[in-house]
Amino acid sequence: MATPVTTVPDRPATTAPGAPGAVPRLRAGRRRHTPGGPRRSVLLTLLTGLILLYSLLPLVWLVISATKSQSGLAHSFGLWFDGHFALWDNIGQTFTYHDGVFVRWLLNTLLYVVLGAGGATLLAVLGGYALAKFSFPGKRAVFAVVIGAVAVPGTALAVPTFLMFSNMGLTNTPWAVIIPSLISPFGLYLMWVFASEAIPTELMEAARIDGAGEARTFFTVALPLLAPGIVTVLLFSMVATWNNYFLPLIMIKDPDWYPLTLGLNSWNAQAETAGGQPVFHLVVTGSLITILPLIAAFLLLQKYWQSGLAAGSVKE
Amino acid sequence: MLKHSRRLLRGIGLVSALALGATACGGSDDGGPSHKAVSEADIQAALKKGGTLTVWAWEPTLKQVAADFEKAHPKVRVDLVNAGTGNNQYKALQNAIAAKKGVPDVAQIEYYAMGQYALTKELTDLEAYGADQLAGKFTPGPWNGVRAGGDGVYGLPMDSGPMALFYNKKVFDKYRIKVPTTWDQYVDAARTLHKANPKAYITNDAGDAGFTTSMLWQAGSRPYTVDGTKVKIDFSDAGARKYSGTWQKLLDDKLVSPVTSWSDEWYKGLDDGTIATLAIGAWMPANLASGAKSASGDWRVAPLPQWTAGAKASAENGGSALAMPELGDNEALAYAFLEYADAGKGVQTRVANGAFPATTAELHSKAFQDTAFPYFGGQQANKVFAESAANVADDWSYLPYQVYANSIFNDTVGKAYVSGTRLSAGLKTWQDASVKYGDEQGFTVSTG
């Protein structure tokens, strides 16, 4: 609250196109932000910087550590390189250790993401569109159920799900991970909100008047408009499925069906085993490889994802 | 989030333990799952017929044993699954048992966790297979472990962990410290070392239930008395006072490193000499050799320091058995594997790959005793271990819910490691919490 009002920096930030003098001095007790030149605060910048540093530090550590051998990890300072650059060696070992089981885990994770997150997105898009643009009896009840489902943490359902799947004979199969991943109440809700804002009802009416059937209206009119929302939901479900640890942990016992998260953890646990061999360097390198596809997905889909988040926030 | 889910899982385990505990209390022991005696002929027939055997174990040397077993019995397939280490595997096992589906035929269970499954009859009593006649084959500590209270044999000992003092000779020589033979000397050594090099510690201890119970065991304390569902917990006997008094000195003067065991920091400390000793089970050499490679040649093994000068008491630390969950299939086949891995040819295979045996024949064999460890500068360390195995104090028992008790160790005794709480007060809190939990689970728990 005690933010000083005279903290206008001398130079305008390159991103703020307003003239230097355009930032008005605030009168006592009044705070106003002009759209062209938002007021900058040293304190906020500092805080953001700190948080940025805080979030990047583990990543930096990871990248640096992946270049070290097992003994290098033990003998050198964590945030700087060891004399011996072992990254390529580590990557090679990660892919070949234990008969190349890492590749298998990578493929499993991809399978879970493609089927689980892909399916979740598909269901969310279809459901969200239907809920936003059609009215039918019981719609309010569906709304209540979806909102309620958003509030239930997945972990709370894990054990009941386990028992149910066990009765159905599905535990220890990939289905035990894929089927629960298909359900994404938050994705459905997001799609619903997005669809009701992004597709003008008038446009659908026009399409209908022109003689398009419901399917055609959906595919040719609605779907392109929904693209940013779809990407957003897809990214959410991808990240959730890619990082999923607890569900596979209780569902899957066969290391051949492990996703990367479980597999890397089992390598880590080797160090705690009597007679086991610590392979921290492989765990670190494997972790780095594991996050690369996610980073790639974010960078490639970034523009859709940003417009997706902002969509519907402004009334035009 | 993970913590919550763990709690949930535990809940599941409890519910089933409670339900099963209740049936056990009902006195249906005689009528329980009736096992007629299984003869050698039955086992041979099962081996000939073949089938698939699911084994949940994390022990690395079992891989070779399973391969050999398949070779010897071509129709048998051993599906060796690493379902997690220790606690994680127990949770998985408890879940499978609760769901009555996907229960393995054979499971690796540590001695401290044995009682939990034995009491609730979730493990097959191997007396029906004549396992009681194998008693003489195993050293007393592990055998006592699989007897879990005394009225059956709930597994065959796979490995054992008679304790010894591993110490970094290079560090000791550098600061001219004599290898301690009593715990008082150990405290002195800790002082000398830390004074000479403030970065170096005699050992690490961040609060570890397994280590503490082993230390109590050696000190002659018998905190747990178990008689069926009647349990007594008492951390105030003379042995416990000896231990907490001595260890308190180390904590008070910050003479132990607060590094958690098995972390990368820990391996680092063992490697660079800032953690100078470990009082730990005899299975440790393999981990030292692979985890603290560059300290090769620096370490040696000595008998565990004593509470009374000249005594020779020792205790077990860790170690596990292979057991057969009651709900598993292929029982004859499973037993054949158990016998092969823990009492037959598999033992040599495992010892050759670095495991520490629980069988007297292997412990006393010349080849085993004469093995020179390059890591220990050529020392015949197995001699020290074998002597320790012979000197393990008897009559120790764990709680029938030790897995739970260990899981709350850090919330109770652990306080002594991070704040000014006295170790003895921490033990008292642990005792109270364990009593309360036992009562809730349907045990009759008393204190000292």
Side-chain angles (χ1 to χ4, degrees):
Chain A
M1 285 300 106
T3 320
V5 288
T6 51
T7 52
V8 184
D10 325 288
R11 284 174 294 119
T14 44
T15 47
V23 184
R25 275 188 160 236
L26 293 180
R27 301 227 164 78
R30 304 207 69 188
R31 285 154 186 275
R32 196 191 298 156
H33 298 237
T34 51
R39 210 165 51 88
R40 281 158 294 168
S41 144
V42 172
L43 193 69
L44 267 183
T45 315
L46 221 68
L47 269 176
T48 322
L50 270 180
I51 290 168
L52 184 74
L53 203 68
Y54 178 79
S55 353
L56 282 184
L57 213 57
L59 197 66
V60 172
W61 180 89
L62 186 66
V63 173
I64 292 175
S65 297
T67 67
K68 298 176 186 174
S69 64
Q70 168 72 20
S71 68
L73 271 176
H75 286 287
S76 56
F77 175 62
L79 284 172
W80 198 242
F81 295 93
D82 184 32
H84 172 63
F85 188 82
L87 179 62
W88 310 124
D89 207 27
N90 284 349
I91 293 178
Q93 273 191 57
T94 305
F95 280 107
T96 50
Y97 189 63
H98 278 185
D99 310 323
V101 71
F102 187 82
V103 179
R104 168 92 199 203
W105 293 335
L106 189 66
L107 293 176
N108 288 344
T109 309
L110 280 175
L111 176 80
Y112 300 150
V113 165
V114 169
L115 292 185
T121 311
L122 184 74
L123 289 177
V125 170
L126 293 175
Y129 174 72
L131 283 164
K133 290 297 162 194
F134 297 90
S135 72
F136 52 89
K139 193 168 155 175
R140 287 178 69 89
V142 173
F143 183 76
V145 169
V146 172
I147 292 292
V150 172
V152 179
T155 25
L157 290 176
V159 170
T161 317
F162 170 81
L163 294 175
M164 188 174 87
F165 274 53
S166 182
N167 277 330
M168 290 155 66
L170 286 176
T171 44
N172 219 356
T173 68
W175 296 113
V177 176
I178 294 168
I179 296 175
S181 307
L182 288 176
I183 312 302
S184 163
F186 181 66
L188 176 65
Y189 178 67
L190 209 68
M191 266 334 283
W192 180 351
V193 172
F194 188 82
S196 57
E197 291 292 327
I199 309 170
T201 314
E202 295 81 356
L203 203 63
M204 291 173 64
E205 279 163 1
R208 280 182 197 130
I209 290 167
D210 288 347
E214 283 309 329
R216 189 158 172 207
T217 314
F218 174 69
F219 283 110
T220 55
V221 177
L223 216 49
L225 290 170
L226 287 177
I230 295 175
V231 173
T232 309
V233 172
L234 186 69
L235 270 172
F236 268 128
S237 346
M238 251 182 74
V239 173
T241 321
W242 192 275
N243 290 339
N244 204 347
Y245 176 79
F246 188 61
L247 184 74
L249 175 73
I250 68 165
M251 291 293 185
I252 292 183
K253 286 293 148 260
D254 185 350
D256 277 349
W257 285 114
Y258 276 2
L260 285 167
T261 45
L262 277 191
L264 287 174
N265 191 51
S266 76
W267 278 3
N268 195 31
Q270 252 179 242
E272 305 171 19
T273 312
Q277 188 188 18
V279 284
F280 294 122
H281 61 309
L282 298 188
V283 176
V284 166
T285 312
S287 306
L288 182 65
I289 297 171
T290 301
I291 60 171
L292 291 181
L294 276 190
I295 293 179
F298 265 82
L299 291 181
L300 290 175
L301 299 173
Q302 196 181 28
K303 54 179 180 179
Y304 304 102
W305 142 266
Q306 280 175 344
S307 71
L309 264 190
S313 55
V314 179
K315 191 171 172 68
E316 286 158 64
Chain B
M1 197 149 111
L2 201 65
K3 196 134 204 184
H4 280 281
S5 38
R6 283 202 180 135
R7 207 160 281 162
L8 253 175
L9 265 188
R10 199 182 295 150
I12 280 271
L14 303 191
V15 171
S16 66
L18 188 62
L20 286 156
T23 45
C25 294
S28 59
D29 271 9
D30 43 351
S34 60
H35 282 286
K36 42 186 188 314
V38 180
S39 70
E40 185 57 31
D42 297 337
I43 293 173
Q44 288 305 327
L47 282 171
K48 246 188 209 120
K49 192 165 155 263
T52 301
L53 204 57
T54 309
V55 180
W56 281 11
W58 61 86
E59 218 279 345
T61 63
L62 268 183
K63 210 171 177 178
Q64 188 56 46
V65 174
D68 293 349
F69 188 73
E70 282 178 332
K71 215 177 207 172
H73 307 287
K75 286 200 168 162
V76 181
R77 215 177 82 79
V78 180
D79 200 358
L80 191 61
V81 173
N82 183 346
T85 303
N87 233 348
N88 288 337
Q89 201 245 59
Y90 304 143
K91 272 175 203 147
L93 186 61
Q94 204 69 62
N95 277 352
I97 289 173
K100 294 196 166 59
K101 279 247 169 66
V103 181
D105 306 307
V106 176
Q108 177 178 1
I109 295 177
E110 287 157 286
Y111 298 120
Y112 86 91
M114 216 66 201
Q116 169 162 340
Y117 296 95
L119 184 84
T120 51
K121 305 280 175 212
E122 282 162 9
L123 295 180
T124 307
D125 182 353
L126 302 179
E127 275 187 8
Y129 297 81
D132 40 334
Q133 276 145 44
L134 296 174
K137 276 198 157 217
F138 299 100
T139 49
W143 187 251
N144 185 39
V146 294
R147 305 264 302 153
D151 63 338
V153 178
Y154 293 96
L156 290 186
M158 180 157 61
D159 52 9
S160 67
M163 290 177 91
L165 184 74
F166 294 74
Y167 67 98
N168 193 321
K169 184 170 185 292
K170 201 169 128 195
V171 172
F172 271 56
D173 287 350
K174 187 173 172 194
Y175 300 113
R176 296 199 190 132
I177 301 168
K178 262 179 54 190
V179 180
T181 56
T182 66
W183 288 110
D184 285 336
Q185 288 175 12
Y186 188 80
V187 176
D188 292 340
R191 263 198 198 105
T192 316
L193 172 65
H194 192 58
K195 210 167 155 197
N197 177 2
K199 274 191 181 160
Y201 294 91
I202 191 83
T203 191
N204 76 298
D205 189 4
D208 176 73
F211 174 73
T212 302
T213 45
S214 290
M215 291 295 285
L216 290 168
W217 183 339
Q218 193 222 2
S221 171
R222 293 293 175 269
Y224 308 122
T225 327
V226 184
D227 175 18
T229 55
K230 279 202 211 68
V231 175
K232 199 177 119 188
I233 307 177
D234 176 16
F235 281 107
S236 66
D237 59 13
R241 283 201 305 272
K242 265 195 272 184
Y243 162 72
S244 56
T246 301
W247 217 252
Q248 189 68 54
K249 288 183 207 158
L250 292 176
L251 294 182
D252 282 347
D253 297 347
K254 299 207 168 17
L255 297 175
V256 286
S257 152
V259 162
T260 313
S261 295
W262 308 108
S263 61
D264 53 341
E265 267 181 298
W266 186 65
Y267 279 111
K268 187 175 169 174
L270 296 176
D271 212 5
D272 65 16
T274 51
I275 297 175
T277 73
L278 284 179
I280 208 163
W283 34 259
M284 192 62 204
N287 291 75
L288 274 176
S290 66
K293 267 199 198 102
S294 56
S296 178
D298 297 350
W299 286 78
R300 296 289 184 279
V301 180
L304 200 59
Q306 295 295 316
W307 294 98
T308 321
K312 286 189 161 186
S314 183
E316 293 275 339
N317 179 238
S320 54
L322 288 179
M324 289 159 52
E326 188 65 57
L327 293 169
D329 307 319
N330 290 329
E331 297 216 319
L333 214 53
Y335 187 73
F337 181 74
L338 242 63
E339 208 177 18
Y340 179 86
D342 292 351
K345 280 211 181 93
V347 180
Q348 286 115 43
T349 314
R350 296 186 45 259
V351 170
N353 284 309
F356 193 80
T359 41
T360 41
E362 270 68 28
L363 268 174
H364 294 139
S365 80
K366 202 167 149 34
F368 180 76
Q369 298 235 351
D370 288 349
T371 306
F373 286 77
Y375 191 87
F376 298 128
Q379 187 189 6
Q380 293 172 338
N382 283 340
K383 288 197 166 134
V384 182
F385 301 141
E387 201 187 332
S388 169
N391 291 326
V392 169
D394 53 9
D395 288 342
W396 173 268
S397 66
Y398 286 110
L399 279 180
Y401 47 90
Q402 193 71 40
V403 175
Y404 171 80
N406 283 7
S407 76
I408 57 166
F409 183 87
N410 276 22
D411 304 336
T412 52
V413 189
K415 294 222 169 90
Y417 291 85
V418 291
S419 67
T421 316
R422 310 288 298 168
L423 200 51
S424 51
L427 287 171
K428 178 77 173 61
T429 320
W430 194 25
Q431 172 178 323
D432 293 345
S434 300
V435 168
K436 183 165 169 279
Y437 177 83
D439 278 333
E440 284 165 8
Q441 297 301 304
F443 293 95
T444 317
V445 192
S446 60
T447 59

